Amino acid sequence: MEHDKREKKADQFFRRELIESDVQKSVHYTFKDGFRLGFGFFIGFMLGMLILILFSSAVNMIFKVL
């Protein structure tokens, strides 16, 4: 019985503290964030392509020698 009272008090406390109008969104994406994300994907893609090209050319050179 006492356990239920504590749960109800805690529930009421958090409901008062976390009124939906007072809670702000923790993340606001801006155009700058979108640019950074897109630029990061672009750099990652270019780096991956460079690694793939270097690897394929190295394999090609090995097969030419053999």
Side-chain angles (χ1 to χ4, degrees), residues 28-41:
H28 294 284
Y29 290 109
T30 62
F31 290 111
K32 186 187 279 188
D33 296 326
F35 175 76
R36 288 178 182 164
L37 182 65
F39 191 66
F41 280 126

Side-chain angles (χ1 to χ4, degrees), residues 1 9-10 12 18-19 28 30 33 42 44 52 55 60 62:
M1 186 94 167
K9 283 184 180 180
Q12 290 173 356
L18 298 174
I19 296 172
H28 294 284
T30 62
D33 296 326
F42 175 73
L52 185 65
F55 178 74
N60 191 20
I62 290 172

Side-chain angles (χ1 to χ4, degrees), residues 48-66:
M49 289 298 290
L50 178 66
I51 291 170
L52 185 65
I53 290 168
L54 291 174
F55 178 74
S56 62
S57 64
V59 169
N60 191 20
M61 291 176 88
I62 290 172
F63 280 123
K64 279 185 180 178
V65 171
L66 295 175

